[in-house]
Amino acid sequence: DTAVSQTPKYLVTQMGNDKSIKCEQNLGHDTMYWYKQDSKKFLKIMFSYNNKELIINETVPNRFSPKSPDKAHLNLHINSLELGDSAVYFCASSPGRNYEQYFGPGTRLTVT
Amino acid sequence: QQPVQSPQAVILREGEDAVINCSSSKALYSVHWYRQKHGEAPVFLMILLKGGEQKGHEKISASFNEKKQQSSLYLTASQLSYSGTYFCGTEDQAGTALIFGKGTTLSVSS
């Protein structure tokens, strides 16, 4: 009974391809997030959704598009992948703003 | 604006204490602390809110000086399990994006 799950765990693809990462939480939380952690371990917020509504959209290229079909799911679609997109992508959820965030196990994306 | 953490790295023996600092150039609404072990996801430790409210674990303590825009995480009687990278994340207003520092790597040996 994993709280926040992500698929796939590893993703290796070539430049120019389109890929998706899925995230699901079974904690009943209202808020979900996508973070990117680069090779230097810098953890950066990308998007945040509250009750399926986008509330935070940091300066992320338009090639990245989040989609929240329901409160329990937040997927990330990436178009025209570039070498610089290689990183670990973490999904997280929280009961609301100013509460602790629960992170998924991460998806390691490698673009060749 | 990204908060600044210090020190960058700490090496301890079991039983020793450590303090990790986090400072911002902007007024802060909250400070969050997370620990990440190698190859794993970040795990929540503590939230400190403007006004003094704290939410977190019993065995870890932290302080938040709103005037100085600084927070410190206190790890006492360190155990091997404390090893990992500690991140502080800051919000300058309620409900805004959490901005994480670059992390402090803590290594505890027996």
Side-chain angles (χ1 to χ4, degrees), chain B residues 1-4 22-28 68-70 90:
Chain B
Q1 188 142 7
Q2 186 178 34
V4 177
C22 176
S23 64
S24 174
S25 59
K26 298 178 72 172
L28 298 176
K68 291 187 176 180
Q69 295 144 204
Q70 293 176 345
T90 58

Side-chain angles (χ1 to χ4, degrees), chain A residues 4-69:
Chain A
V4 182
S5 59
Q6 293 178 228
T7 53
K9 188 167 175 64
Y10 299 97
L11 189 52
V12 181
T13 188
Q14 291 183 329
M15 283 175 58
N17 285 347
D18 303 339
K19 290 294 178 186
S20 291
I21 305 172
K22 295 185 176 182
C23 177
E24 177 181 0
Q25 55 97 0
N26 62 7
L27 298 167
H29 289 167
D30 287 339
T31 309
M32 296 185 72
Y33 311 81
W34 276 112
Y35 287 90
K36 177 182 179 181
Q37 187 169 44
D38 61 22
S39 58
K40 295 184 179 179
K41 290 192 176 180
F42 179 38
L43 194 60
K44 181 176 169 59
I45 181 77
M46 299 174 70
F47 303 103
S48 176
Y49 271 73
N50 188 59
N51 280 322
K52 302 196 305 177
E53 180 184 347
L54 181 66
I55 55 172
I56 292 174
N57 184 351
E58 292 296 295
T59 44
V60 176
N62 290 337
R63 300 181 295 102
F64 290 81
S65 54
K67 283 188 181 176
S68 181

